[in-house]
Structures are given as structure tokens and as C-alpha cells.
Amino acid sequence: MTMAHSNSSVPITELFWSLLDKADRKFSRVRDLPNYGRNRNDADFHKAFKIYTQLWKLQQEHRQKLVEAGLRRWEVGEIAARIAQLYYGQYQRTSDSSYLSEAYIFYEAILNREYFRDSSLPQDTALANKQLRFLARFLIVCLVLGRREMVSKLVGLLKSMVEECKKTFQEIEIKEWKHVVQEIFRFLKADTSFMNMKPLRYSFLFDTNPDSLPIVASSYKRRGLVLRDVILSSYHHNEVKFTELTLDTFRMLQCLEWEPSGSFSMRSAAENSHFGSGTNRVNLLQDIRDQTLPPNPQKLILYRPSVTHFLVVLATICEELPPDGIMLIYLSAAGGPGLSSPVSLTSENSLDAAEKIGEDVNNLGISSPIRSPHGRPTRTSFQHKDSHKVGDQPSCLWFGSRGSEGSNFVYPCDLIPFTRKPIFLVIDSNKSQAFKVIHGNEKRETAAILLSPSSRPPPSAATSDFTHAQHGSQFTMFLTAPVQAFCFLIGISGTTINTEKYEAAEKLLSSSLSELDKFLVTSNGLHPVWVEVLGDPFLRRLLLRFIFCRAVLALYAPTWHREECLPECLPHLPESVNPDSTVSQHAIMQFANFFGVTNQFVFSEGIASSEGSIIYRSTTGSSGGDESHISVANGY
């Protein structure tokens, strides 16, 4: 061994313990480094990784000597866990999914070899804590990577392990771990198999190849901006989350990544991988990764950030944004001030608290739609709302459970200085309309802004089973999983729709979005901001899903004529894709026909299903039937 030869005067055991101490110090330094900024120095990561690689080789080649000298099995597991943590930390810093796959492989080997399950020390609480922390970290990797079968296995192990520790742990410790178990069960109750029938990531198996997207017909000379950096931050009272990964940021995180080719269809690609290092390890995930895919945008998740920290991060990323880059800022939070106890009205999981506190005064007094003689609302033209009263106090987003306004409230004016660079802003809040003031007050670059509805749809007979469930934000769901969002809106759950019907619905969505895309790119007067946005596949997909979401909510009877229930974008989009347009109404009517819920929507005179290319016939005569037939006239 080269390393042993170069240190022949030093006994292997002494070399090992010396390296282990050095590795621990390097690991602590890497762990404390900020995980944002393009110009950071990754030398510490590479140094730490090099030392842990040396340690791993030493224990492989001199295991017997090291065991005789006192090396314990859990210490081997600790080295492997540190390597996995380094990989996952580097994924967080770079968004390179190959690091995520490497972390999975090491964590899986720790699980299979049970490094932290020492039967000779059943009462060792320190070792039990290591096992529990390992399971929690592995769970996060599996969730982000989409390994649902392994997630189920780990949840079972975590629950049983916590039960085992009841007798040995202190009460405060066991309460903390019980809370972790409750969090993951709650998370999985919302992130069901129905939500995962299609990858949220941009997949060439399901999404249009960027090279095939229609070119924008505009005289504006494009700069070719590309989504380079993303900030994701979400905080709602009692929201669905696991550790610091909230359901909404979890969905947005995946939505802004490329799906490695073929990986979604593989249930356990690393099952037979050899646990080793370097060229000795076979990484099946790496083998199927399409090397022609562009790099993922760098993403940073901020959980309950103080305003000062948020602004420091934003300033750093903005300063280092490449010349061809555009930055996406996603903020999902309850509004304040204006609510004595801020509660999200766009987040599904906070309805109970919202009902107790009462709705914002500004959202009351909305008249009911005028009914036609047939009992359905009549239809009027859709108009942009150029102003919105947000109260006497300036509205903002609330990102903490305690503290003063200065440390926990994000105001629209906080973001204006950063409009010197191209930004794509997504605000998901009951106070989203307050951020309209940014438009027209930018410092240099016109911001592309998507704003959620300020109120959610009122409960109806069809959706009563879902309004109290904890599914995350409806607006974010439309941006990340539109078919599921539509189903939840009309009262269809994953238990009442089979795979074949769901796949047909996805094809219908793809066809509808493609049609909307064609109208959008050929529209006159398309603002240069949207011309640039349409050049990036991730942002283009978000914009088209926004148009779909807006049309659905504008035509949905319970939210018809209720502007507080509609999302908005700035600058305004062309009228050709407004909810009143023929192409938009036709797309939503096809969906309504497909699911048998046409009576839940309001369409203009002359819009008829016979005009469409898709006709839905249910053999059961109900919207929840599993058997269906789809006739496709012009194909997909």
C-alpha cells in the first residue's frame, strides 16, 4: 500500500487514530461553511474527503489490526456516515445530483451492514442516538432522491428504534425523537404515491425536450438567460415538514432539477452495488445518468431565515450571478402584519387555525356570482386587477414564530435593490398582492413575478374531504404537480384514480400546455421579460403551469369572479392566454370533460366539448370511476 509504505516508520494503528482526529476537525470545518455562493472555496471539502478516503482504505486493508487495537464496528460506520454527509452537503452546495446518489450508496451500505446495531451494547444511548440520526439523514436523502420503497423501510425502522429507546432515553430525548417520527408520518401522508406517479423533476420521458420547444416570435433580441440560482424559503404555522425540509420547498426543489435518464423507473438501482471507493465501486445511478444534461440550477433552501441572513444570502447570490443568469426566488409564508397571529390561507394544512382566527378583513364582503336560470353562474370577461388594497399597514411575509418585525418580516421593498439583476419571483402567500409594488419600481431589470391567490377556494361538497387535509400549498402544487392539484380541487383523491387514467390525464395536460405554449410564443406584445423566461425550460414550464392554474381557478365555479382566489403575474401576459381566451377555456373544458366535472366550471357561450379533440366517456357515470375510454382525434 503506497500510503503505508510512505509512513512505514509509523504504526498503522497510530496513523489511523491520527488521521481520524484530523478528519474530525476537517469535517467540523466543512459542516460550518456556508452552503451558498458560487465563489466559495471547496478546498476544505476536498481535503476532508481525501482524509476520509484514506481512513476508509486503511480500515479495509488493516481491519484485523485495527480491531485488535480497539477499533469498534460503530466507528467504521461513523466514517462511512461522515463520507455520506460530505456527499450530501456537496449536493446542497452544488445541486449536482451525482453527489446525492453517492450519499445514498454509503448510507445504504451502513444500513445493510448494521454498523450502528451493536447487540453487545443494548443500553448504549450514545450508539442508539447515532443510529437514529443516521436513519433520519438517510430518510432525507431518500426523499429527495425519490426512493419511496427505501423511505417506507426506513420509517418502519425509525419508529421501532424509537420504541426500543423508551426505557433508556431521558424523557426530553424520547419526546424529540417521537416528534421526528410524527413529522415523517405526517409528511408521507401528504406526499402520497399519487403525488409521485410522475417525477416532479424535468424528465425527457414526460416533458418536452427543450430542443423541441417552439421559438418565440418576437423582435426583441434575446440575451439567452438561463436559470442559474434558486432560493427556496417556506414557513407556515404547523406546516408539513421533515426536519427543515418543508413540503412546499421539497416540491419546488425537485421541480427545478433534471431527472437523470431512466432513474425514475428504477426502484432500486443500487441494490447490487459493491460498497467500496474509487474505481472499485460500481455506481449504477451514474451509469444511467445522461451526461448531455445541463447542470442543475444551484438551489438553496432557507428554513425560517432571519431577514438579515436572508438578505446576506440574496446579496451574495445576486453579486455572483453569471452574466447569462437569472435567479429564482420562491417565498412561501403567511402574511403579516394584519393578522394578530399570522396564518397561511394558501397552505392547506393551516385551515383549522385560519378558521379560528377569522379571515383577513380585506378578503370579506365578496358577493356571490350571479346565477343563471339553469343554476350555474353566468360568465363575464376576465379583467386584470391593477391594484389591490392591502390595508393601512404595509404587508409582508412572516418567517418566524417569534421576534420583532425587523428580524422576521420580509417586505416587498427588501427585494427591490436586487432587481439590478434578472430575477423570477414566486410569492405564495395570503399577502402576495403586496408584492405587486415591485413592478415598475425595479432598479434596472424588470422582474418576472408570479403571485398566488390571496385566498383559497371556499370549501364545497366535492372538496370538503380535502380542505382540512395537509397537502401543502395549492398554488405550489399547481406549479409542481398540476394534474394532482386539479384532482384535489375537484375532489378526486389518489385512491379513486388508476394508473391508466392518470397517465391519460398527464398526456392531456401535456397537450393542453403545448397548445397554450404555441399561442403564447406567437402572441403580439409579449413582454421581453417573458421572452427571456420562455428561453429557459424550467421557467417556461413554471409559466405555462401558472397559466393553466389561473385558467382553472378563473373558470372554477366556487372561485369564479373572486379575484382574491386567482393568481396573478407581472408583467401581464397577452390576452391570447387569458382565462377568457378560447384556447384556455377549451383546455380546461377538456379536463372537466375527462374527469366528468363540467358542472363545476363556468364557460363562455359557444365553448363546447365537441370542438375539442378529446372526448371522455365514463362507464360508471361518475367522476371517480376507474374505467374510462379516451378518444384522441389528433394524437399526442
Side-chain angles (χ1 to χ4, degrees), residues 120 160 297 429 603 608-609 612:
S120 64
S160 61
S429 172
F603 300 101
S609 60

Side-chain angles (χ1 to χ4, degrees), residues 510-629:
S510 179
S511 175
S512 298
L513 294 185
S514 294
E515 194 67 18
L516 287 168
D517 196 11
K518 291 176 184 176
F519 274 78
L520 186 61
V521 299
T522 57
S523 298
N524 293 324
L526 185 64
H527 195 282
V529 164
W530 300 123
V531 175
E532 292 289 359
V533 163
L534 290 171
D536 181 89
F538 292 115
L539 299 181
R540 187 181 194 134
R541 189 169 68 158
L542 282 179
L543 181 60
L544 291 173
R545 289 174 173 180
F546 169 87
I547 295 171
F548 175 78
C549 170
R550 185 178 63 172
V552 168
L553 295 178
L555 299 170
Y556 184 51
T559 54
W560 177 83
H561 237 214
R562 296 188 62 171
E563 300 215 25
E564 77 280 6
C565 294
L566 303 183
E568 191 169 353
C569 68
L570 294 168
H572 294 311
L573 291 169
E575 293 184 1
S576 59
V577 292
N578 274 356
D580 262 349
S581 68
T582 301
V583 64
S584 295
Q585 291 197 60
H586 182 62
I588 308 310
M589 173 161 277
Q590 286 184 323
F591 256 82
N593 281 337
F594 180 81
F595 287 107
V597 291
T598 309
N599 62 332
Q600 294 188 34
F601 291 84
V602 185
F603 300 101
S604 298
E605 295 294 334
I607 300 293
S609 60
S610 60
E611 297 176 359
S613 57
I614 300 176
I615 302 172
Y616 171 68
R617 303 184 185 91
S618 172
T619 58
T620 62
S622 67
S623 61
D626 287 338
E627 298 180 10
S628 61
H629 173 73

Side-chain angles (χ1 to χ4, degrees), residues 88 91 100 138-148 151 184 186-193 195-196 198-201 230-235 239-257 259 264 299-303 330 332 471-473 476-477 479-481 541:
Y88 181 67
Y91 162 73
L100 194 63
F138 193 12
L139 262 171
I140 292 175
V141 170
C142 292
L143 282 171
V144 178
L145 202 53
R147 296 303 185 86
R148 306 299 298 184
V151 166
I184 188 60
R186 192 168 171 230
F187 192 99
L188 295 178
K189 186 177 181 181
D191 191 49
T192 61
S193 57
M195 292 299 303
N196 291 276
K198 171 183 176 293
L200 298 187
R201 290 180 171 88
V230 178
I231 295 177
L232 305 173
S233 194
S234 169
Y235 174 65
E239 70 185 327
V240 180
K241 70 180 187 69
F242 181 59
T243 63
E244 295 187 352
L245 188 66
T246 71
L247 189 61
D248 291 338
T249 55
F250 171 68
R251 288 170 177 166
M252 288 297 295
L253 175 74
Q254 295 178 86
C255 181
L256 299 171
E257 285 192 353
E259 178 75 14
F264 180 75
K299 295 173 294 299
L300 178 66
I301 293 178
L302 298 176
Y303 177 69
Y330 168 83
S332 177
H471 297 295
S473 164
T476 297
M477 189 184 292
L479 296 181
T480 56
R541 189 169 68 158

